[in-house]
Amino acid sequence: MDTPHTQATLEVDSPERMQELGRRLAGLLRPGDLVMLTGELGAGKTTLTRGLGEGLEVRGAVTSPTFVIARVHPSLVGGPALVHVDAYRLGGGLDEMEDLDLDVSLPDSVVVVEWGDGKVEDLTDDRLHVLIHRVVGTAGDTEDAADDRRTVVLNGIGARWAAEDLALA
């Protein structure tokens, strides 16, 4: 049986716009949502998550959790907490991720996992997979402008996302 799937592709031209995209995406999120972020180092995964945190109105500065693996940001307004995970240094797949008790956090929180490909898909059938690609500069671009441009592909996987219009994010 095919899994319901919805997709949108957006162009982002600055870190500020990436953060704004995160704020807009936060309006679609609810407790139990898993968001997987994929992109090379420096692509904007943490910047997007910072915007998610602002949109969800959570406590604490959203920074890369690389060295602590996971951070929990409680809601300031009675909404879901933001659980921000960096799975970059975790190599053991779901077994190693289970040590973080994400399955316990997931029903009541929005869980965002950077570098989660091949590690967290089994947590739920429904997830939002965000792929961030750097845009390669073209003739006439200044180096700085080309460095900030990203193509962001939003893939809503599962029944939870089937009816969402991700292009509005």
Side-chain angles (χ1 to χ4, degrees), residues 104-159:
V104 173
S105 301
L106 190 57
D108 301 318
S109 306
V110 170
V111 176
V112 177
V113 182
E114 297 185 28
W115 304 100
D117 291 11
K119 299 174 183 171
V120 298
E121 290 90 343
D122 290 337
L123 284 173
T124 178
D125 291 335
D126 301 305
R127 62 192 170 278
L128 179 62
H129 191 176
V130 180
L131 296 96
I132 305 172
H133 303 281
R134 282 197 165 116
V135 175
V136 177
T138 59
D141 282 338
T142 65
E143 189 173 316
D144 290 342
D147 285 348
D148 286 342
R149 290 196 333 242
R150 306 289 190 263
T151 298
V152 180
V153 180
L154 306 172
N155 287 308
I157 301 165

